Amino acid sequence: MGGVLLCRVTVTVTTALGVTLSAFVDVPETGTGLVNATVPLGGAVGDVTLVGIPCPTIEDITLTLLGNTVTINVTQVPAP
């Protein structure tokens, strides 16, 4: 029996100063395999907005931007 799935988008940022911030949001799975999400990290980092990110990701996506490491993970989770 199938159910509604959500995509849990988790973003972890480790700043150049060694501070780690992490947050996630659940967004509806649209059937295209791609989702858009804004993850509010707060602090000096602010929000991270992702457009057209695959759901689910096969492995973590890691980017290094201006000395900051950004790790993105997307998994499917059942809707509550």
Side-chain angles (χ1 to χ4, degrees):
M1 182 175 187
V4 176
L5 290 177
L6 296 174
C7 296
R8 177 162 291 166
V9 181
T10 304
V11 175
T12 302
V13 176
T14 302
T15 69
L17 299 175
V19 176
T20 300
L21 300 168
S22 186
F24 71 89
V25 295
D26 292 336
V27 294
E29 205 288 316
T30 63
T32 66
L34 303 174
V35 294
N36 301 332
T38 297
V39 182
L41 287 168
V45 176
D47 295 346
V48 174
T49 299
L50 304 164
V51 177
I53 193 100
C55 177
T57 53
I58 295 171
E59 58 186 35
D60 290 352
I61 299 167
T62 302
L63 309 166
T64 301
L65 305 166
L66 302 173
N68 303 308
T69 301
V70 180
T71 303
I72 302 161
N73 177 275
V74 185
T75 57
Q76 290 179 321
V77 295

